[in-house]
Amino acid sequence: MASVLSSRGRLVSYLSGVQVLVGRVSSVRTFSAAGSDEPHVNMSTHNTALNTVWPDDIIGPFGPQDRRFQLPGNSGFDFHLTGLTEQQKKMKGHMTLPDVLTAPSAPDRHLSILTQMTSDLCDIDGSAPSQPVTPADQYFDQSRVECMIQNCPELLKREFLSMFPEAPSTDMMAVTVTQRTKHDMSSWSPEVEDEREAMLHTFIDGAQQICLALQDGGFWADFIDPSSGLAFFGPYTNLTFFETDERYAQLGFRVEDLGCCRVIRHALWGTNVFVGTIFTNAPPTSDIIRKLQGS
């Protein structure tokens, strides 16, 4: 389930889960084979076991690297020493992502066409259609996650630069990941607390992978830990940005004061939401941002 809408400079995607969003960028990351047993590794396509030069004439960190001996003292892992052919056969099924994470399904394509048509009608008439598009409503009702990508407003950008001292002073993008909840987050119950805890772990796990993919692409990226309101990767500061912060109004949400507490409200899902935010200096035209958009 995925769709993309464009409104007032905001790019919005609707998905079935955070794992789908992570799957969009997981193929961008590259991994080193040295010192790791990670199955997604970059390997030479030929077997180097028969090209041994022993003993080495030059030993040291600046000498020519033998891919079979990537540790000091001419030590290496088993698949470096015995050859890569058998390892490549074993790992053949893990070298690519399954189509379920990368290829759009028939409902995805249907929804993309439907939402694009709805957006075009809004642009032509200057207002929303008089009659709701029932199929689109059904798709949105089934969606569990909204990913909104937008330029960080200038007023917020100056404040967030203080929250992220390591962030470059260039343009900053805000990526809000809204998870739809079963329970109304404006009240408290053990069920609400358990669901918030589950949503928190899901967001943190997904945000870490997205930020690492952005960093691997040469960009700065960090996110706000919803439990503390602080930057996750960056150094500690005394500035916080919680989910019920009024500054979320500048990112497309409403923050309501209920007297006893404040709650964030989503345009479609009301107060049945859990919101997390990622910040990066990656431009909208970069490959990884386009992948986040589903392009």
Side-chain angles (χ1 to χ4, degrees), residues 3 9 42 44 68 137 145 203 207 254 266:
S3 66
N42 292 330
S44 173
R68 294 162 304 142
D137 289 342
V145 172
F203 170 73
R254 289 177 55 189
H266 186 266

Side-chain angles (χ1 to χ4, degrees), residues 110-111 114-115 118 132-143:
H110 182 196
L111 179 58
L114 193 60
T115 52
T118 304
V133 183
T134 303
D137 289 342
Q138 293 175 352
Y139 280 119
F140 290 143
D141 187 62
Q142 296 173 7
S143 300

Side-chain angles (χ1 to χ4, degrees), residues 33-83:
S36 172
D37 58 354
E38 171 65 45
H40 298 269
V41 296
N42 292 330
M43 294 182 177
S44 173
T45 57
H46 61 278
N47 192 329
T48 58
L50 301 179
N51 298 325
T52 304
V53 178
W54 186 261
D56 288 343
D57 294 329
I58 302 176
I59 299 179
F62 303 106
Q65 185 183 26
D66 189 331
R67 292 183 61 85
R68 294 162 304 142
F69 301 102
Q70 298 193 4
L71 298 178
N74 288 323
S75 300
F77 297 101
D78 177 66
F79 66 86
H80 292 151
L81 302 177
T82 60

Side-chain angles (χ1 to χ4, degrees), residues 42-43 95 104 119 134 147-148 168 200 209 228 255 264 276 287 295:
N42 292 330
M43 294 182 177
M95 295 302 290
S119 179
T134 303
C147 175
M148 182 186 300
L200 171 65
Q209 296 184 59
S228 64
V255 177
I264 191 168
D287 290 341
S295 300

